[in-house]
Amino acid sequence: MAKNTLSITDNRTGKTYEVAVTDDTIKALDLRPIKVNDADFGLLAYDPAFTNTASCRSAITFIDGDNGVLWYRGYPIEQLAEKSTFLEIAHLLLHGELPTQAECEQWIYEITHHTFLHENVKKLVEGFRYDAHPMGMLVSTLAALSTFYPEAKEVRDPEVRRKQIFRLIAKTPTLAAFAYRHSRGLPFIQPDNDLSYAGNFLNMLFRMSEPRYEPNPALEKALDVLFILHADHEQNCSANAMRSVGSSLADPYCSAAAAAAALYGPLHGGANEAVLRMLNEIGSLKNVPKFIEKVKTGEGTRLMGFGHRIYKNYDPRAKIIKQIADRVFEVSGRNPLLDIALELERIALQDDYFVKRKLYPNVDFYSGIIYQAMGFPVEMFPVLFAIGRMPGWLAQWQEMLLDAEQKIARPRQVYIGHARRDYVPLEKRGSAPQPERKTARAAT
Ligand code: CMC
C-alpha cells in the first residue's frame, strides 16, 4: 500500500530520511534533522515571497486558481454576491456560518452602533495636508484608534476581541469618509445609522445640504457587492501582514493598520488605482496595441489589473464585477474607459505573451471603472478595497490567535553577508583590506 511519506536522500551524506506528508504538505521543520554533520544546523526550506509555502491551516477561504474558483467558508462567491449582504458575509467569515435571523439582527445592530468616531479623531484627520492620500490617512487613523481603546491589547480575551471586531468593521468606513471629506475641504458627515452599511458610507461621503441623504439603491447594492467580492482572499500580502503583526500580540488596530499599509502597494490593493491611471494614459482605443507591445517588452509598465499569484484563470470576482458594471452604468452613464479596458482584455487574451503566462483580468481590472462611474476619485479606490477586506483581515487574525500551532511569525534567512571581521577605526578606513564576502548560514 502507498505510504503518505516522502523519502529524501541527501546525496552529500548518502543518508535517506522519511518525512510525513499531510494534506499534500511536508513540515519544513522535518527537514531540520537532515545534516551533514552534528555541527550543521540542518536543512532549511528557501522560499522568498512564500510562493510554495503554506504558513497556516485555514478554514476561511478556498481558492482553486487553475479553475477560477473562490469560496468563503465553502459558499461559492457567485452565490454570495447574488444573494447575500456584506454584513452577513462578515459574520460568515468571522463565525464560520451564515447568521440566523436573530443573530443577523444582533450582528447588524452591534456594527451599526459602533460607527461613530471619538471627536479627537477629527482633529487627527484635520492635521493631514489637504492633498494627503486617503489611504495614508486610513493607515494612520486605524493605528491611532489603538490609543483610544487601550483594552484592545487583551487579544486573548474573546469578549475584548469581539468588541474590537465590531469597532473595526463599523469605524473603517467612517475613517475612510472623513479622509475623503478632508481632501475635498468638506465638513465631516456623521454616520446615519438608519441606513445600510453601504448606504451610510455613501451618505458620509457625498451628503451636501440635504437634510437626509437617500442613497441610490442601484449604487448602494453595487457597492455592497463590491465589498463582498473583496471581503477575503486567503493568504494574500495584507492578510499575511495582519497575521504576522498580530502574531506578536499587537492589538488589532495596529495589525489592521499594517494590513492596510500592505494593501496600499500597487501590486496589491493599489492596483485598481493604477489601472485607472493606466487607462487614462492609454487614452483611446487606437493606442491599445502600442501599449500592449510596451508591456511585452518589459520597458513599460505591467498591464495593471492582469495576473495573479494564485489565479491562472479568469478571476471569478472580475466576472461578477463585469456583470454589475451594466447596472451602475444605467445610473451613472457609461464610463468611456470601459471600451479601452475591453479592448485591452480582448487583445491580451489572444496574445501569446499573456496566454503563455496565464495572465487574466483580476478583481482590480474592472473595479476602478465602476468606482469612477459611481463618483469616487481614484485615490479612494484602495480605501474601498480596505473597507471590504476588513472582515477578512479580522477573521484571519482571529483564526491565527486561536491556532495552537501558531507562534510569533519569524522567518529564517540564508545569510550571504560578510564573514566575521574586526571594527576598523575611522582614521584607518579606506585603506583596510575588506575580507571577501562569504556565504554562511546563521545557525540559531
Ligand atoms: N503584465 C505583464 N506581465 C506580467 C503581469 C502583468 N500584469 N503579471 C505578471 N507578468 C509576467 C511577469 O513579468 C513574469 O514574466 P517572466 O516569467 O517572463 O518573468 C510572469 O508574468 C510571472 O509574473 P510574477 O511577477 O512572477 O508573478 P507573481 O505571482 O509574483 O505576481 C502579481 C502576481 C499580481 C503581483 C502580478 O501579476 C502583477 O504585478 N500584476 C499587476 C498588478 C495587479 O494587477 N495586482 C492586483 C492583484 S489582484 C488584487 C489583489 O489581490 O491584491
Side-chain angles (χ1 to χ4, degrees), residues 50 55 234-264 268 389 393 396-397 400 409:
F50 309 127
S55 63
E234 52 119 303
Q235 305 313 310
N236 54 84
C237 180
S238 55
N240 185 58
M242 182 89 192
R243 279 178 174 261
S244 182
V245 174
S247 76
S248 74
L249 305 187
D251 71 60
Y253 300 101
C254 292
S255 303
L263 188 75
Y264 195 177
H268 191 9
R389 185 54 58 87
W393 288 336
Q396 298 285 344
W397 167 74
M400 178 274 304

Side-chain angles (χ1 to χ4, degrees), residues 68-175:
V69 166
L70 170 62
W71 303 339
Y72 295 158
R73 300 281 187 187
Y75 295 105
I77 190 68
E78 293 79 5
Q79 290 183 22
L80 296 175
E82 189 192 331
K83 299 180 177 154
S84 192
T85 62
F86 177 64
L87 288 187
E88 206 181 53
I89 297 302
H91 185 284
L92 174 69
L93 291 170
L94 278 148
H95 295 272
E97 295 299 338
L98 290 165
T100 61
Q101 182 71 36
E103 284 168 342
C104 197
E105 280 166 19
Q106 183 62 24
W107 178 250
I108 292 173
Y109 177 88
E110 293 283 6
I111 291 174
T112 308
H113 286 81
H114 284 94
T115 49
F116 277 68
L117 294 170
H118 192 289
E119 284 293 292
N120 285 4
V121 177
K122 279 190 195 164
K123 295 196 186 114
L124 268 173
V125 177
E126 279 161 359
F128 285 99
R129 280 181 57 137
Y130 70 97
D131 58 352
H133 195 291
M135 198 61 182
M137 290 194 252
L138 180 69
V139 170
S140 313
T141 48
L142 278 171
L145 286 187
S146 152
T147 65
F148 291 85
Y149 307 110
E151 76 276 16
K153 65 178 181 300
E154 306 300 335
V155 295
R156 295 283 187 212
D157 182 329
E159 257 320 298
V160 171
R161 277 204 308 272
R162 218 172 98 81
K163 189 77 170 277
Q164 314 320 311
I165 286 169
F166 290 139
R167 284 178 172 149
L168 272 161
I169 296 174
K171 293 181 198 305
T172 302
T174 319
L175 292 175

